[in-house]
Amino acid sequence: QVQLVESGGGLVQAGGSLRLSCAASTRTYSTYAMGWFRQAPGKEREFVASIAWSGGNTNYANSVTGRFTISRDNAKNTVYLRMNSLKPEDTAVYYCAAGGYGSRWSKDYNYWGQGTQVTVSS
């Protein structure tokens, strides 16, 4: 069982930056690929980024490529999502997830955090 806790969300103006963190409860976290997803009101949950257990392979949604960076620190059991040049359309609840082998599909992930709200004002 892996428990995930996200933090770092908040309100930011368009063009600003935020860094989300996701802390895992177990050292076996380092054996999992990790992903970030987001869900805006009235929309389905969508893939944002993923990272292999080693940190050596990353994938991004087209909408965030070049603006967001996923990274992980296995010594701290934490995965990060650095978000730059934020846009109002990035407003959503952001979730981290464990498992999935770096998949873009939410159904492939085994464990989920509770989410953190990101709001980007225009």
Side-chain angles (χ1 to χ4, degrees), residues 29-53:
Y29 143 90
S30 64
T31 66
Y32 289 93
M34 298 294 294
W36 285 98
F37 290 76
R38 67 187 182 186
Q39 188 166 17
K43 295 187 177 182
E44 294 186 353
R45 190 170 298 188
E46 65 174 0
F47 171 78
V48 175
S50 66
I51 187 167
W53 68 271

Side-chain angles (χ1 to χ4, degrees), residues 72-84:
R72 66 191 297 165
D73 185 340
N74 287 345
K76 296 182 178 180
N77 290 0
T78 302
V79 63
Y80 304 97
L81 185 68
R82 176 68 180 183
M83 305 185 294
N84 295 329

